[in-house]
Structures are given as structure tokens and as C-alpha cells.
Amino acid sequence: MSEKLSIVLFSGTVDKLMAASIIASGAAAMQKEVTIFATFYGLFALRKGDWKQNRRISKDFEDYGAQFLQVLEAKKAPNWLETIQSAMDIGNVKVKACGLTMDLLSIKLEDLEPIVSEIVGVAHFIEEASDGQIIFL
């Protein structure tokens, strides 16, 4: 059995999305089983095409936001979506959407980027995450 890493993606800001994608990529390279559980604002960020316009930065770090985004562009760093896609190519990485959030916000699976493989409930996520590490972003 491989080690598990589960990421609760609650935030939809670029800084948190980048962190989640980089952590997922590193864990995939280490042959860990990775699940990203997107809920609330993290789910908003996964709507088709949202990544193209999303320039939001967490309130705690908004003073550095413009500089952070400029550095990413200047260095031609892959965006968070590309990084998650690369992580999926490297190893066992799955992105799952929170069913409750989907229902509350009237979002359908076809509204989301194709990296999202399924809609699950929180109980499913917790059961799947058991015996592993959980990170909340």
C-alpha cells in the first residue's frame, strides 16, 4: 500500500492553488497517492476557464500579490493547473469535487476543468484520507 496525501483545497486564490499543485507534484514524484478535495472557493477556481482570469491572492499576502504574479510570469512558471496536470502524469493524483458544495452552488461536473474526476461527499473523502496525511489550504 502506498502512502497517502490528501489536500483539502478550500481556497481559490492563486497562492494557495500554486501551493497545492506544487505539494501534489512533489508527493506524486515520491510515489504517494494524492487526492485533492476541492470545496467552496477551491471549487470555484476549478470552473472551466477560471484559471485564465484568476489573479486573486490571499488577504494575508495581498501586499505581495502583484510581485508574486509578476515573478511567475517573468520566470514563465507553469500555472497551477498545468502543475496539477503534470503531477497527474507523474503519479497517482486525483482531483475530486465536494458534492455538498456542488449542490449548494448549482455546479455540475461538466462546469469544471477536466482534471476533476468525480464528485464525492465529505464522508467518502475522510474515509479515503484515513491512514494518511491531510493538508488544508
Side-chain angles (χ1 to χ4, degrees):
M1 178 192 285
S2 63
E3 293 181 48
K4 296 185 215 175
L5 173 65
S6 300
I7 300 171
V8 177
L9 185 59
F10 177 79
S11 175
T13 59
V14 175
D15 53 325
K16 301 277 180 79
L17 292 161
M18 284 297 292
S21 68
I22 292 166
I23 292 167
S25 183
M30 297 170 64
Q31 279 91 49
K32 291 184 183 257
E33 182 181 326
V34 180
T35 299
I36 299 173
F37 180 69
T39 188
F40 289 97
Y41 310 107
L43 197 54
F44 278 160
L46 289 170
R47 291 178 297 187
K48 285 184 180 168
D50 185 76
W51 64 273
K52 295 175 187 174
Q53 297 91 263
N54 184 355
R55 304 203 40 91
R56 294 179 299 274
I57 299 295
S58 298
K59 190 80 170 150
D60 291 343
F61 307 108
E62 68 185 350
D63 291 346
Y64 308 103
Q67 180 182 4
F68 171 71
L69 294 170
Q70 288 171 354
V71 167
L72 291 176
E73 290 171 10
K75 301 275 185 176
K76 296 185 179 11
N79 65 53
W80 63 267
L81 183 60
E82 293 169 325
T83 304
I84 290 175
Q85 290 167 330
S86 294
M88 292 173 135
D89 292 339
I90 292 169
N92 186 5
V93 177
K94 292 183 176 47
V95 180
K96 300 182 179 187
C98 173
L100 177 62
T101 303
M102 300 273 293
D103 287 343
L104 288 172
L105 303 175
S106 300
I107 299 173
K108 297 182 177 93
L109 188 58
E110 57 268 16
D111 297 332
L112 302 175
E113 292 290 343
I115 62 169
V116 180
S117 61
E118 64 183 302
I119 301 167
V120 300
V122 72
H124 174 92
F125 169 74
I126 291 170
E127 180 65 30
E128 193 174 76
S130 65
D131 299 329
Q133 296 173 305
I134 300 176
I135 297 173
F136 186 91
L137 293 172

